[in-house]
Structures are given as structure tokens and as C-alpha cells.
């Protein structure tokens, strides 16, 4: 007898969704699933895909309720010290199975907007004891989003003449590509930072970093002008909130972070030579070791450098456009920090995730057409006071290029009132997940305090490999 016709759900199918609410939703859908006549193997494949991509099943006539429940439970957790393998809130994804086996692990989470990656997935956070994992921070160390709001300025960004002026004036300062060199590289004080002299690796990269300073690289990095709507209390001196001109940029350490990660990952591998093959991406450095201290100093230099790069770019664009004083916020999403979590001293790794403590301000990026969310954190510590840095990709870059249709994309831009100066076919709006799913997945972790709506968008238009 075909197992799909069994009146009882098999244990192998139930194990796909360990949380009690998800199993209950599957039980409700089971009578209809039995009528499909699918084999046990087909059902399992179908349900595994649903578990990984519930956003694709929201309107499914049989499993729509289960899909919507999984979207509400989007955050999945890891707690090696806990008695239960998965807290009830978990949607059942495997999440961080290797991290459970590390003796240094304390707690972890995979947030909405997750994407695959070695070590931590993009959108992953992990707390460890007295140790740092270079690959859990990621390659583009210090990558961040930087927001400037100009409460007193008006350049008519929502009118064609205003956009034309911004394009003409700002364009020469906005550079993309793997080199992205400016004719007048930054003389910012960051290059006098004593951190550059700490290691030969950093000394070698100082001049290259200077040449790339203020440029935005490739992939999903961008420079956007637009309109921001914020609630009262976000922008100082504007207690009533309002609608203002804003500038939003996204780029990282332009090769410096990748060199740091590669160097220190190899050192960690040598120190952890007894790790099994499947755990080698998780090789760690103890913080009280010379190598751990060197990595930490290099990472913090990356963080200072990327923030200075964004500030330099924003200051130059504001000067060229004759904009007044701004309120700014810089939000890194590839870094580690020392924190206290549930009374323990831990090192929190965030890859593609931002820190968002109680009432702390943060930015969750949208797409070329979807608004960027401005949020405050809550007092929930289940996700290590973190949120995703963006929506996350719905499809791979190869699939996005094949799915790209110029006329359809241009219509999306027209409907959103967005002008895109440059972009590649693997960055069109449909590449990214639906924003409402991200909001639902962050339920209990964030409160909305505003949104940034892009009007003029620059991205890399060159056919170069992605840095993100």
C-alpha cells in the first residue's frame, strides 16, 4: 500500500517539522495530502522544500497554513547547552548543526533573509566562549549600511529636474567595480590609525584600501538617494518625526576583510588540526592567544575603516549637493563583539546580521524598489539581540540572470517611482524575498519606526564577480 495513503503521519515526515504548532498544521493538512496519491519519497521532498522556502507556498491550497506559520516562526535557534534539541519556536530548519558540536558554542540563531555560506550562513548569529571564529564573521569584514538624513534639505528628489541634478552632481563621486579607484583617493585620518602597523598583512593593504576608499565594489552594494519617513524621537531636534531627504549606502572593506579572514582562518586551521573535515570552516582562535588578539585588532580596524569610508562618501556628496547638517547612523553586519548574554560573557558573531538591542536603532535593507525598514530592537534575547541586514535573496545569481526580463523590470521601477542608474541582471527586484515575510519572521524582535523609499539608485553595472 502506498504510504501516502496511510491515515497516520509517518515519523520521518513529522521530524521535518519538530515544533508542535508546525506538526499540528501538518496534521490538519494530512487528509488532503493523502488524496494526492504521492509516494512517501515525493511527499518528503515536497515538505523539505516547503520547510526551506515557505514563502513559495503561502498560497498553496493544501499547505498554505503551514507555510504561513513557518514564516511567522522564521527565526531558528541553536542552544547546545539546552536539554531540547530545538526550542518550540524553531521552524524545523537544520540551521547550525555543526555549531552544536563545538565545545565553545553557547547559543545561535538563523534569522529571516538567510542565505547559504561556509561557517555561519548569511543572516546567522552565534555566541561562543572566549573564542572567535574568522569564517563566522565572513569575508567582507566590517561591511555595513550607512544612513544620512537631511531634515532641512530639499533637492527635489521626487521630481525629474531634481533627480537630474543629483545624478549630474553626485555621479562623479560614486564608483563601482572591483577597483573602484577615485582620482583623488581619500586622505582621511583613518590612514594614520596605528592599527595599520600592527601586522605586515595590514601594512601591505593600507595603500590598496586608500585607493578604494569611498567606493562601493560590486554585487548587492549600492548608493541610494530617497525619501525617509520616521516617527518622532528618531531624528534629534525633530520630535514630531516627518518626511525628509536621505542618503543610504552599502559597501564593505573592499578586499581588506577578505585577506584578513583568509589569513586568520588558516592560522585557526593549524591550531585546530584535529577537527573533523565537516567542522574545518568552524576553526576558532582563543581570544587570549596572540593570534586571537591580532585577529580582533584587524577586525576592529576593518570596522573603523569601513565606517570612515561611508562617512567620507556621504560628506562629499552632501558638500557637492550643498546639503545642510545631517543625522547619521552606521550599521555593520559582518563582525564580532564582546557582550553579556543571559549573565554570561560571550563573543557574538554576526554575519549578514545587525546588532539590535532594546530600543537600539537599526536598518533592514529592502531592494531597488522595496522600502528599507527603520526599526528599534526589543528586549527579546532569543536571537542574541540581532536582526537580518536585508531581505535575503529569493534566487541564486544564475537563476536571477535567467529570470531577468528588461521590460518587466522597467515596469517595476516605473510603478515604484525609482530611477536606476546602473545595475546587473542578477540584482533586479524579484531577486529578493517579499518584505512582509521578513517583517513576519522578525515578529517580537523589532518594532518599526520608519522607512526609506529609494528614488535614485546606483549599483555596479559592470560584468564583474560579486563581492557580497
Amino acid at each position: 500500500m502506498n504510504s501516502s495513503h496511510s491515515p497516520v503521519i509517518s515519523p520521518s515526515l513529522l521530524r521535518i517539522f519538530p515544533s508542535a504548532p508546525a506538526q499540528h498544521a501538518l496534521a490538519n493538512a494530512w487528509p488532503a495530502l493523502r488524496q494526492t496519491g504521492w509516494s512517501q519519497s515525493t511527499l518528503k521532498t515536497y515538505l523539505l522544500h516547503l520547510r526551506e522556502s515557505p514563502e513559495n507556498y503561502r498560497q498553496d491550497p493544501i499547505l498554505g497554513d503551514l507555510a504561513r506559520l513557518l514564516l511567522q516562526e522564521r527565526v531558528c535557534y541553536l542552544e547546545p547547552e539546552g536539554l531540547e534539541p530545538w526550542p518550540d519556536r524553531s521552524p524545523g530548519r537544520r540551521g547550525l548543526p555543526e555549531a552544536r558540536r563545538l565545545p565553545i558554542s553557547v547559543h545561535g540563531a538563523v534569522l529571516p533573509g538567510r542565505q547559504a555560506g561556509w561557517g555561519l550562513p548569511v543572516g546567522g548569529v552565534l555566541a561562543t566562549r572566549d573564542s572567535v571564529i574568522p569564517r563566522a564573521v565572513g569575508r567582507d569584514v566590517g561591511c555595513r549600511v550607512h544612513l544620512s538624513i537631511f531634515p532641512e534639505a530639499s533637492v527635489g528628489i521626487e521630481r525629474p529636474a531634481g533627480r537630474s541634478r543629483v545624478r549630474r552632481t553626485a555621479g562623479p563621486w560614486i564608483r563601482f567595480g572591483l577597483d573602484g579607484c577615485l582620482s583623488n583617493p581619500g586622505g582621511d585620518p583613518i590612514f594614520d590609525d596605528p592599527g595599520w602597523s600592527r601586522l605586515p598583512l595590514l601594512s601591505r593593504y593600507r595603500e590598496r584600501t586608500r585607493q578604494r576608499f569611498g567606493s562601493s565594489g560590486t554585487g548587492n552594494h549600492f548608493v541610494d538617494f530617497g525619501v525617509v519617513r520616521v516617527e518622532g524621537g528618531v531624528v534629534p531636534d525633530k520630535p514630531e518625526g516627518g518626511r525628509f531627504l536621505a542618503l543610504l549606502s552599502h559597501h564593505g572593506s573592499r578586499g581588506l576583510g577578505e585577506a584578513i579572514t583568509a589569513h586568520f582562518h588558516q592560522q585557526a586551521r593549524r591550531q585546530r588540526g584535529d577537527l573533523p573535515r565537516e567542522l574545518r570552516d568552524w576553526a576558532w582562535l582563543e581570544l587570549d592567544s596572540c593570534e586571537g588578539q591580532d585577529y580582533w585588532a584587524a577586525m576592529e580596524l576593518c570596522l573603523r575603516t569601513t565606517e570612515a569610508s561611508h562617512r567620507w562618501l556621504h560628506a562629499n556628496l552632501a558638500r557637492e549637493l550643498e546639503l545642510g547638517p545631517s543625522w547619521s547612523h552606521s550599521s555593520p553586519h559582518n563582525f564580532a563583539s564582546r557582550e553579556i548574554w543571559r549573565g554570561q560573557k560571550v563573543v557574538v558573531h554576526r554575519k549578514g546580521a545587525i546588532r539590535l538591542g532594546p530600543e537600539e536603532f537599526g536598518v533592514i535593507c529592502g531592494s531597488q524598489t522595496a522600502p528599507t525598514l527603520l526599526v528599534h530592537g526589543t528586549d527579546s534575547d532569543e536571537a542574541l539581540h540581532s536582526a537580518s541586514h536585508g531581505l535575503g535573496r529569493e534566487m541564486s545569481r544564475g537563476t536571477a540572470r535567467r529570470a531577468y526580463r528588461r521590460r518587466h523590470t522597467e515596469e517595476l521601477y516605473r510603478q515604484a517611482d525609482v530611477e536606476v542608474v546602473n545595475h546587473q541582471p542578477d540584482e533586479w527586484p524579484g531577486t529578493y524575498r517579499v518584505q512582509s515575510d521578513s517583517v513576519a519572521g522578525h515578529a517580537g524582535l523589532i518594532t518599526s519606526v520608519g522607512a526609506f523609499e529609494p528614488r535614485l539608485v546606483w549599483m555596479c553595472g559592470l560584468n564583474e564577480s560579486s563581492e557580497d
Side-chain angles (χ1 to χ4, degrees):
M1 179 179 178
N2 192 316
S3 58
S4 65
H5 290 283
S6 171
V8 179
I9 307 176
S10 71
S12 66
L13 296 182
L14 280 176
R15 281 195 295 270
I16 296 174
F17 307 103
S19 76
Q23 290 186 358
H24 182 71
L26 178 60
N28 288 338
W30 187 244
L33 286 174
R34 290 173 58 200
Q35 299 303 314
T36 63
W38 292 338
S39 68
Q40 179 85 357
S41 175
T42 299
L43 272 174
K44 188 170 184 178
T45 300
Y46 189 69
L47 292 174
L48 285 170
H49 188 261
L50 165 66
R51 184 187 71 182
E52 294 301 319
S53 302
E55 60 274 7
N56 295 333
Y57 293 84
R58 289 188 305 271
Q59 305 305 321
D60 188 282
I62 299 176
L63 294 170
D65 288 343
L66 176 57
R68 289 186 287 273
L69 173 66
L70 295 184
L71 289 169
Q72 292 172 5
E73 296 180 326
R74 194 93 199 213
V75 183
C76 58
Y77 303 105
L78 156 83
E79 194 161 11
E81 294 183 328
L83 297 177
E84 295 297 326
W86 291 104
D88 282 345
R89 190 174 177 183
S90 164
R93 278 180 215 93
R94 294 189 62 195
L96 310 176
E98 295 88 358
R100 294 178 181 280
R101 299 168 56 187
L102 301 177
I104 58 172
S105 294
V106 176
H107 183 81
V110 181
L111 296 155
R114 78 208 183 283
Q115 294 171 211
W118 34 242
L120 272 179
V122 177
V125 291
L126 177 67
T128 59
R129 296 184 197 86
D130 303 321
S131 302
V132 63
I133 305 171
R135 280 201 163 183
V137 172
R139 292 181 298 177
D140 197 0
V141 181
C143 189
R144 67 181 62 232
V145 171
H146 194 90
L147 172 69
S148 290
I149 298 175
F150 302 91
E152 309 300 336
S154 175
V155 295
I157 196 67
E158 297 193 276
R159 298 192 300 273
R163 291 183 193 179
S164 178
R165 181 199 165 200
V166 173
R167 283 188 63 170
R168 183 176 64 253
T169 306
W173 291 91
I174 299 174
R175 301 294 180 91
F176 289 90
L178 292 180
D179 291 327
C181 298
L182 297 166
S183 58
N184 181 25
D188 194 273
I190 188 64
F191 296 104
D192 298 322
D193 192 306
W196 295 102
S197 302
R198 181 175 179 121
L199 297 169
L201 170 68
L202 301 178
S203 297
R204 290 197 303 271
Y205 267 82
R206 173 159 54 180
E207 191 57 33
R208 183 181 302 183
T209 303
R210 187 195 302 271
Q211 292 293 325
R212 294 174 171 179
F213 195 66
S215 63
S216 300
T218 63
N220 62 3
H221 298 151
F222 59 79
V223 178
D224 292 359
F225 279 91
V227 175
V228 69
R229 295 180 176 84
V230 291
E231 295 180 359
V234 174
V235 178
D237 303 323
K238 293 291 179 180
E240 72 284 1
R243 188 169 177 273
F244 312 114
L245 174 70
L247 169 61
L248 188 70
S249 59
H250 174 206
H251 67 258
S253 47
R254 305 302 331 281
L256 173 63
E258 185 169 6
I260 289 170
T261 300
H263 175 77
F264 284 100
H265 175 64
Q266 288 305 313
Q267 291 195 355
R269 283 277 300 271
R270 285 194 291 269
Q271 290 189 12
R272 310 294 163 199
D274 56 344
L275 283 176
R277 180 184 298 273
E278 65 271 17
L279 295 182
R280 290 176 183 174
D281 281 346
W282 298 88
W284 67 88
L285 299 167
E286 295 178 353
L287 286 184
D288 60 2
S289 68
C290 290
E291 295 82 1
Q293 292 172 19
D294 285 344
Y295 174 81
W296 200 267
M299 178 195 69
E300 290 191 328
L301 177 63
C302 258
L303 287 165
R304 294 193 296 273
T305 302
T306 56
E307 181 172 4
S309 177
H310 282 272
R311 289 191 182 280
W312 182 87
L313 174 63
H314 283 226
N316 279 287
L317 293 176
R319 186 191 67 246
E320 293 296 315
L321 290 166
E322 300 178 332
L323 301 176
S326 66
W327 175 84
S328 297
H329 173 79
S330 199
S331 184
H333 48 255
N334 287 351
F335 69 108
S337 60
R338 293 180 174 95
E339 299 177 17
I340 302 294
W341 181 78
R342 296 182 181 175
Q344 301 180 64
K345 292 182 179 180
V346 296
V347 176
V348 180
H349 303 70
R350 293 183 175 91
K351 185 203 252 182
I354 62 172
R355 173 168 172 81
L356 204 63
E359 298 303 313
E360 188 173 351
F361 181 83
V363 175
I364 302 178
C365 292
S367 67
Q368 295 169 332
T369 56
T372 287
L373 301 179
L374 311 183
V375 298
H376 278 165
T378 69
D379 61 1
S380 172
D381 63 1
E382 290 180 304
L384 293 162
H385 289 126
S386 304
S388 295
H389 82 295
L391 299 179
R393 298 185 69 88
E394 179 75 54
M395 57 185 79
S396 68
R397 292 191 176 278
T399 301
R401 284 190 290 271
R402 291 190 293 272
Y404 173 77
R405 298 293 182 271
R406 180 178 176 182
R407 289 185 180 179
H408 172 67
T409 303
E410 289 177 347
E411 178 61 19
L412 294 176
Y413 295 150
R414 188 193 66 77
Q415 292 176 3
D417 191 23
V418 172
E419 182 179 341
V420 177
V421 180
N422 283 314
H423 78 106
Q424 292 192 35
D426 55 12
E427 283 291 334
W428 65 285
T431 298
Y432 290 90
R433 292 189 173 101
V434 178
Q435 193 172 65
S436 59
D437 293 347
S438 178
V439 174
H442 281 96
L445 305 179
I446 63 173
T447 57
S448 176
V449 296
F452 169 87
E453 297 177 1
R455 291 291 180 263
L456 193 56
V457 174
W458 279 266
M459 298 189 79
C460 182
L462 305 174
N463 189 23
E464 298 191 39
S465 60
S466 170
E467 287 180 285
D468 62 308

